[in-house]
Amino acid sequence: MSWRDDWRRVRAVALKDLTAERRSKSGLNAVTFLGVLVLMLFGFALGPDTESLREAATGAIWLAILFSGVLAFNRSYQLELDGGALEPLLLYPGSRWSIFAGKLLANLAFVGLVELIVIPVALVLFHVSIPDAWAAQLGVTLLGTIGFVTLGTFYAAMSSRSRSREVLLPLLLFPMMIPVLLGAVEASTSLLEGNVMRDAGAWIRMLLVYDVVFLAAALAVFEFVIEV
Amino acid sequence: MESVVNRAATAAPMASREVRWTTVGVAGLVLLVAAQVYGVLTSPPDRDMGHLQKIMYVHVPAAWNAMLAFLLVALASLRYLWKGRLADDLLAASAAEVGMLLTGLTLALGMIWGKPTWGIWWTWEPRLTSTAVLFFMFVAYLILRTFVDDAERRAQWSAVVGLLGALNVPIVYMSVRWWRTLHQMQSSPMTLDSSYTWPLRANAVALMLLMAYAVAHRYRSALMTQTADELMDRLALKGTPGGSRA
């Protein structure tokens, strides 16, 4: 079992999930529209004042991503469970973590696509101009998304196969997401304002540590979750 | 599966163990009452807080013991994943129940203290906020357990969730602290006037004994329920060996 074999398995699982999604597109459409809808609701809740909208923009973007993205993760197992395809997938030779890594990549692409729509819409709705440090912003978004999708994909492996899966996933996931939410929102806000006192660097490092810790932990213990 | 049934065979030693744990519980209760009496009688009212300070005698030990319970959840979960004994999972669940109770007690007492002292029920202070997050993680852990029917699957999943939650505790604490850099001095015997330290210590020990009693009690009843379920299964399958897998 070389790394090349593992990578091929990871790619196969990811491509399979993405192909299924590309052919139906139902998940992507629904989740993206939900994200935009959450942004609209935030707009109504916060009122039309330009200044307060701008201040709340990063928080609203992340909550929109969290609330809509959480619906995507159960789906990524649901298709297989409905078709009775999870057991055959587990029976294939090779390491179990590659299934997780493949689904993780597919979900990253999925949530990335949702963000591609939701974030520009948020910039328009909340009157935020594209910041000078847009590259760093993208980096923060990527780090936050990796943390979110890692744990989302991981917990969905359990919640999708239990009762009340719609409630269980956010209950498990959101308390774990607090460092991601804080880190991403604070780093983005400080980059937007160009305010050095809020120290975006420290938050980016924390996001990096979070991603590494939970990526490693999820890959290590995924086998325990999927084998029962 | 086997280990739980084997434990049923050792029911006789369990009875004497029960007596021992009851002693621990009674001792904890007596000590708790004594510590309150001692604290109320001996420690003078605080310069700023007056007698409100007495809330600390339960609030702070409850927080300490909640952390201890969470540690127990993490250790038992790790041991379950390592050895695969269902009893360890039941121990983790019992510790999580007691931990959730203690975390809730910490939060409630903190609010009761905060209203007259700070004028507000809640503030987004780091320790408060991370305690609340811890509370939600305990709740999610216990809800997960109720949503999964198969014993082995429940054990495996909740062990993993418990471990990941424990990994997250320091990260949550650090991130919330950076978010709100106004620090509240942490209470420990070092930061207190000596007249307050002994009631605090006595309360900490008392609550620890009570926690140990509660965890042991829940653990034992969980073992019994498990054993009863397995015996029922066997009976239904007319004693076929391995019938408990059904």
Side-chain angles (χ1 to χ4, degrees), chain A residues 151 154-155 158 161-164 168 171 175-176 178-179 182 186 202-203 206 210 214 217 221 224-225 227-228, chain B residues 81 133 136-137 140 143-144 146-149 153 156-157 160-161 164-165 167-168 171-172 175-176 178-179:
Chain A
L151 283 184
F154 183 76
Y155 283 132
M158 296 180 242
R161 292 187 288 152
S162 69
R163 280 184 283 130
S164 318
L168 187 57
L171 267 179
M176 298 291 285
I178 283 161
L182 280 180
E186 292 292 308
W203 287 111
M206 194 217 66
Y210 184 96
F214 283 106
V221 296
F224 291 112
V225 169
E227 77 183 5
V228 285
Chain B
L81 290 183
V133 175
F136 280 113
M137 291 204 285
I143 288 177
L144 170 76
T146 63
F147 280 169
V148 184
D149 295 322
R153 180 181 270 197
Q156 203 112 314
W157 288 1
V160 166
V161 168
L164 256 62
L167 263 185
N168 206 18
I171 304 181
V172 168
S175 65
V176 179
W178 284 350
W179 180 55

Side-chain angles (χ1 to χ4, degrees), chain B residues 123-238:
Chain B
T123 169
W124 293 88
E125 189 266 336
R127 200 161 297 109
L128 255 76
T129 315
S130 32
T131 308
V133 175
L134 190 67
F135 180 69
F136 280 113
M137 291 204 285
F138 272 131
V139 171
Y141 174 92
L142 291 171
I143 288 177
L144 170 76
R145 295 187 67 87
T146 63
F147 280 169
V148 184
D149 295 322
D150 180 69
E152 203 176 335
R153 180 181 270 197
R154 180 172 55 226
Q156 203 112 314
W157 288 1
S158 42
V160 166
V161 168
L163 273 183
L164 256 62
L167 263 185
N168 206 18
V169 168
I171 304 181
V172 168
Y173 183 68
M174 286 304 295
S175 65
V176 179
R177 214 169 85 166
W178 284 350
W179 180 55
R180 295 256 126 177
T181 29
L182 55 115
H183 296 266
Q184 195 78 24
M185 259 309 252
Q186 197 164 342
S187 297
S188 80
M190 300 295 151
T191 62
L192 288 173
D193 188 78
S194 61
S195 58
Y196 299 125
T197 55
W198 278 107
L200 185 66
R201 281 185 182 137
N203 268 294
V205 173
L207 264 185
M208 206 193 292
L209 291 176
L210 280 175
M211 180 187 80
Y213 168 72
V215 172
H217 189 78
R218 291 295 301 156
Y219 176 54
R220 251 193 355 260
S221 65
L223 276 179
M224 284 177 189
T225 312
Q226 188 82 39
T227 313
D229 284 349
E230 281 170 30
L231 291 177
M232 291 271 273
D233 280 353
R234 282 193 184 187
L235 208 62
L237 293 167
K238 291 185 183 135

